């Protein structure tokens, strides 16, 4: 079974530029999560989707971050414009609801904002 | 107050020995879940073990076991017979509230870095 896929793996941009990350969850997983992990800290949830609807986006900085999950499968997280403090690893995870709520993570995208 | 506390920022362990990673949590919910994840230098979070708040027995998965002490609100991870490949960051996480179909967010601790010495 293929795991959670993310791209790109690494991205370097300058502040005020925009960037987008892509995530493809495990096949059949209804719930998709985006986490931000700043160096030296544990991941923090940014947004959670159930199919293509948003369940929780309370910690998403909506003035600059946006996310969508069209057709309830792939998801894109966008930052526009980026700030220095957005430098982090962005992790995507998915879970198969109804069987268990274990979240399985992708390899992450490491973003550096200069 | 922090919901998940991991007090050990880093630990050394000799190969083939056991190591215990501490995790304490804070919640007022009666139903919750506790998870441990491993994060090697490659960055991917790897699920290790899960303990539900109503589970009467401590969870075990191969060389991983969870020492769950509900009254003390602790959920320590024990890795037996450490291997060089166990060197990584380890995160404790909690899902508060009863499991629901829409999924539950996880709250993570700050992590513990483990280095296994040959």
């Amino acid at each position: 079974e293929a795991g959670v896929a993310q791209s790109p793996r690494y991205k370097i941009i300058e502040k005020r530029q925009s960037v987008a990350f892509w995530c493809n969850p495990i096949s059949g997983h209804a719930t998709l999560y985006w986490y931000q992990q700043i160096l030296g800290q544990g991941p923090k949830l940014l947004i959670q989707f159930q199919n293509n609807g948003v369940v929780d986006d309370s910690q998403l900085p909506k003035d600059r971050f946006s996310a969508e999950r069209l057709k309830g499968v792939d998801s894109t997280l966008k930052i526009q414009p980026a700030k220095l403090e957005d430098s982090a690893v962005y992790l995507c995870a998915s879970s198969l609801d109804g069987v268990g709520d274990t979240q399985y993570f992708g390899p992450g995208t490491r973003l550096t904002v200069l | 107050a922090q919901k998940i506390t991991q007090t050990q920022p880093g630990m050394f362990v000799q190969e083939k020995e056991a190591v215990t990673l501490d995790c304490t949590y804070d919640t007022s919910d009666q139903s919750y879940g506790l998870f441990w994840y491993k994060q090697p230098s490659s960055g991917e979070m790897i699920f290790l073990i899960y303990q539900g708040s109503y589970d009467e027995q401590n969870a075990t998965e191969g060389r991983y076991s969870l020492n769950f002490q509900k009254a003390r609100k602790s959920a320590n991870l024990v890795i037996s017979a450490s291997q060089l490949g166990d060197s990584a960051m380890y995160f404790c996480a909690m899902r508060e509230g009863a499991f629901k179909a829409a999924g539950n967010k996880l709250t993570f601790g700050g992590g513990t870095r483990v280095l296994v010495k040959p």
Side-chain angles (χ1 to χ4, degrees):
Chain A
E1 180 182 83
V4 177
Q6 290 187 248
S7 69
R9 291 296 311 278
Y10 305 92
K11 189 74 176 180
I12 301 174
I13 61 172
E14 295 189 349
K15 59 184 179 183
R16 292 187 288 274
Q17 287 187 323
S18 62
V19 64
F21 313 127
W22 172 83
C23 173
N24 179 248
I26 293 173
S27 178
H29 280 198
T31 307
L32 184 148
Y33 312 78
W34 282 103
Y35 288 86
Q36 180 192 58
Q37 186 178 20
I38 293 172
L39 185 64
Q41 300 180 14
K44 181 187 79 171
L45 180 72
L46 292 176
I47 189 167
Q48 175 185 337
F49 292 95
Q50 170 76 3
N51 295 311
N52 60 351
V54 175
V55 175
D56 185 347
D57 64 356
S58 58
Q59 298 189 95
L60 186 74
K62 298 181 185 63
D63 58 333
R64 298 183 301 106
F65 286 65
S66 64
E68 60 182 9
R69 191 183 183 196
L70 300 176
K71 300 180 182 179
V73 182
D74 294 4
S75 177
T76 302
L77 177 69
K78 297 180 181 178
I79 308 175
Q80 181 179 13
K83 293 185 175 182
L84 296 177
E85 58 261 35
D86 297 332
S87 294
V89 175
Y90 291 84
L91 294 162
C92 179
S94 68
S95 64
L96 177 59
D97 304 315
V99 174
D101 59 345
T102 297
Q103 296 179 26
Y104 297 93
F105 285 78
T109 296
R110 184 177 298 276
L111 173 67
T112 302
V113 182
L114 304 176
Chain B
Q2 291 207 8
K3 288 182 177 287
I4 296 285
T5 302
Q6 295 181 251
T7 58
Q8 307 150 311
M11 298 182 70
F12 286 100
V13 59
Q14 199 67 41
E15 191 179 9
K16 299 180 185 177
E17 291 186 349
V19 61
T20 298
L21 308 184
D22 296 340
C23 173
T24 57
Y25 59 91
D26 182 27
T27 182
S28 57
D29 288 336
Q30 295 300 309
S31 179
Y32 52 89
L34 297 158
F35 300 78
W36 277 92
Y37 284 86
K38 171 185 178 181
Q39 188 176 43
S41 57
S42 59
E44 184 171 354
M45 299 284 282
I46 302 168
F47 166 70
L48 295 178
I49 197 166
Y50 166 79
Q51 180 85 40
S53 59
Y54 291 118
D55 294 341
E56 295 186 352
Q57 291 194 329
N58 287 343
T60 60
E61 289 286 348
R63 294 186 298 109
Y64 305 106
S65 60
L66 201 152
N67 183 2
F68 181 46
Q69 299 187 43
K70 195 169 182 177
R72 296 181 60 187
K73 293 189 175 180
S74 74
N76 299 340
L77 176 71
V78 180
I79 307 174
S80 62
S82 296
Q83 302 172 356
L84 296 178
D86 293 335
S87 294
M89 283 290 288
Y90 288 81
F91 290 94
C92 180
M94 177 173 63
R95 177 260 299 153
E96 289 184 275
F99 168 72
K100 56 182 186 283
N104 301 76
K105 73 176 185 181
L106 295 179
T107 302
F108 285 83
T112 296
R113 182 172 299 280
V114 172
L115 183 60
V116 180
K117 299 185 292 183

